[in-house]
Amino acid sequence: MGGAPEDREFMAAAIRLSRRNLGLTGTNPSVGCVIVKDGVIVGEAVTAPGGRPHAETQALAIAGEAARGATAYVTLEPCSHHGKTPPCANALVASGVARVVVAVTDPDPRVSGRGLAILSEAGIEVETGVLEEEGSRALAGYLMRQTNGRPHVTLKLAVSADGMLGRRGEEVAITGPEVREEVHRLRAQSDAILIGIGTALADDPELTVRLPGLEDRSPVRIVLDRRLELPVDSKLVQTAKVVPVVAVALPSGPEGGALVGKMKALQAAGVEILETPDLPTLLTTLAARGMSSLLVEGGAVTGRAFLDAGLVDRILLFQSPEAIGEGGLESPLTPSDMPSAFRLVGEGVYGRDRAFDYERVS
């Protein structure tokens, strides 16, 4: 685990802080910084919406002169490059902090050890790897985009006690209100949410965040819609000018002409049409747009497609105690048949339902 008990305590606080602005910081990671002197927090901050100011400069401003001789706990290695703002590593040096504790080193080639070197060369004591695993989970989207050139993908599934996602030809609420609230929180922390056209046609979802106080944090909504079947009168299309909607179609081919009318109607309603041949290309495109986290919500076919392509990094499986029975739509996964590439890292209870959190290990 690494670090003294006090270091782990304050780094845990910095990690909790970092999660507040997940999905709000654009291409920049949501970083938490806590400045501690004589066992007391004298300044703390999280990367601001839009990505600036960075956490360290805000926390130092709050701490003021109290930062001199203090310890700064930062979830990600302080930046060392000059961008729109001066490097945070230099700001920490100028503040007079005596020690900097870091959870995760930054894979960005513009930083990657340089931030730590600036601190060490200035005589500041540096310790890394404190709560690294927990910090990496909080920074999973940023780290995936930096190292693999695609967003971090979370597959969310709600299954019945007998492993079903629903019932054919009928909309069924598998899980209770507590799970639905948690899913809205997940949406608020994501850059984009994705479903297949089958789910869009069957459920006519809106896919927005509707928790009090978080209504303005709805992510980009993406529909895998190879033949552009998304109805113009659907909730997604009708709200496309308020919260962005992207319909992902196959590149124009022999049937391209037949799709022109559908394309124009959707575009007129505010839907972006994105032509891409496969899921890896789609994820690369989303990463190029600065998207770091993708929540896949919709359907057995879509979930299986992401799993088969090896593009799922985290699985959140919510299970109801109720069975669907005959006529059910089988889930691609249940807790009893999880692929060996995933390990269980957490469990929880939401009202009557249970939650299982898995992450990819290979």
Side-chain angles (χ1 to χ4, degrees):
M1 183 176 287
E6 183 181 70
D7 288 339
R8 294 198 296 271
E9 175 189 347
F10 288 119
M11 184 59 76
I15 292 171
R16 288 193 298 272
L17 191 61
S18 76
R19 293 183 177 278
R20 289 185 185 176
N21 283 354
L22 286 176
L24 293 179
T25 56
T27 58
N28 286 346
S30 182
V31 174
C33 177
V34 173
I35 299 175
V36 177
K37 190 162 188 181
D38 300 325
V40 177
I41 294 176
V42 294
E44 61 180 3
V46 59
T47 306
R52 295 180 182 82
H54 290 183
E56 297 95 319
T57 55
Q58 295 181 82
L60 289 171
I62 294 169
E65 279 301 311
R68 192 163 301 278
T71 297
Y73 295 86
V74 192
T75 59
L76 183 68
E77 177 182 356
C79 63
S80 58
H81 58 286
H82 286 267
K84 293 185 178 179
T85 56
C88 290
N90 295 69
L92 286 163
V93 170
S95 74
V97 298
R99 184 167 175 257
V100 175
V101 180
V102 174
V104 182
T105 54
D106 195 338
D108 186 332
R110 297 172 300 174
V111 184
S112 196
R114 292 181 180 87
L116 302 179
I118 289 172
L119 298 172
S120 295
E121 289 166 6
I124 295 173
E125 180 187 347
V126 176
E127 183 168 356
T128 62
V130 175
L131 296 190
E132 183 175 12
E133 188 173 319
E134 294 87 341
S136 294
R137 286 197 188 107
L139 290 160
Y142 171 76
L143 297 175
M144 181 61 69
R145 186 166 57 82
Q146 284 290 336
T147 57
N148 290 68
R150 67 167 177 83
H152 180 273
V153 176
T154 297
L155 173 62
K156 187 278 295 182
L157 295 169
V159 301
S160 62
D162 54 349
M164 301 297 168
L165 294 177
R167 185 176 288 117
R168 289 180 176 82
E170 180 182 349
E171 186 175 355
V172 179
I174 299 290
T175 50
E178 294 87 355
V179 169
R180 287 193 289 275
E181 284 190 14
E182 178 61 17
V183 171
H184 280 261
R185 281 189 284 271
L186 287 168
R187 291 176 181 176
Q189 295 176 348
S190 303
D191 293 321
I193 179 173
L194 182 146
I195 62 171
I197 185 60
T199 299
L201 294 175
D203 298 344
D204 190 23
E206 192 169 342
L207 301 181
T208 52
V209 177
R210 297 186 293 279
L211 290 180
L214 297 180
E215 296 91 345
D216 62 343
R217 293 184 59 166
S218 293
V220 174
R221 300 166 296 171
I222 301 172
V223 183
L224 298 182
D225 188 10
R226 57 188 303 172
R227 288 181 287 272
L228 296 182
E229 300 173 273
L230 190 61
V232 175
D233 62 353
S234 65
K235 292 176 183 175
L236 284 166
V237 177
Q238 290 297 304
T239 58
K241 292 182 179 179
V242 179
V243 179
V245 174
V246 178
V248 180
L250 287 175
S252 298
E255 62 177 88
L259 298 180
V260 170
K262 296 179 180 179
M263 185 180 296
K264 288 183 176 179
L266 290 173
Q267 288 174 327
V271 176
E272 178 188 353
I273 308 299
L274 178 60
E275 297 184 13
T276 185
D278 51 38
L279 292 180
T281 304
L282 170 62
L283 294 191
T284 300
T285 300
L286 297 181
R289 295 184 177 194
M291 295 185 186
S292 299
S293 56
L294 176 66
L295 177 62
V296 177
E297 275 203 39
V301 173
T302 298
R304 175 50 61 190
F306 273 86
L307 287 165
D308 290 346
L311 295 173
V312 176
D313 306 296
R314 181 189 184 194
I315 298 169
L316 278 176
L317 196 152
F318 299 96
Q319 187 171 48
S320 165
E322 303 293 330
I324 291 293
E326 188 176 351
L329 292 166
E330 189 172 350
S331 170
L333 293 175
T334 66
S336 61
D337 67 352
M338 193 61 52
S340 59
F342 292 87
R343 66 169 179 173
L344 182 67
V345 295
E347 295 184 54
V349 176
Y350 293 85
R352 60 170 194 167
D353 306 310
R354 296 183 66 195
F356 302 89
D357 190 351
Y358 303 87
E359 68 179 12
R360 179 176 287 279
V361 292
S362 63

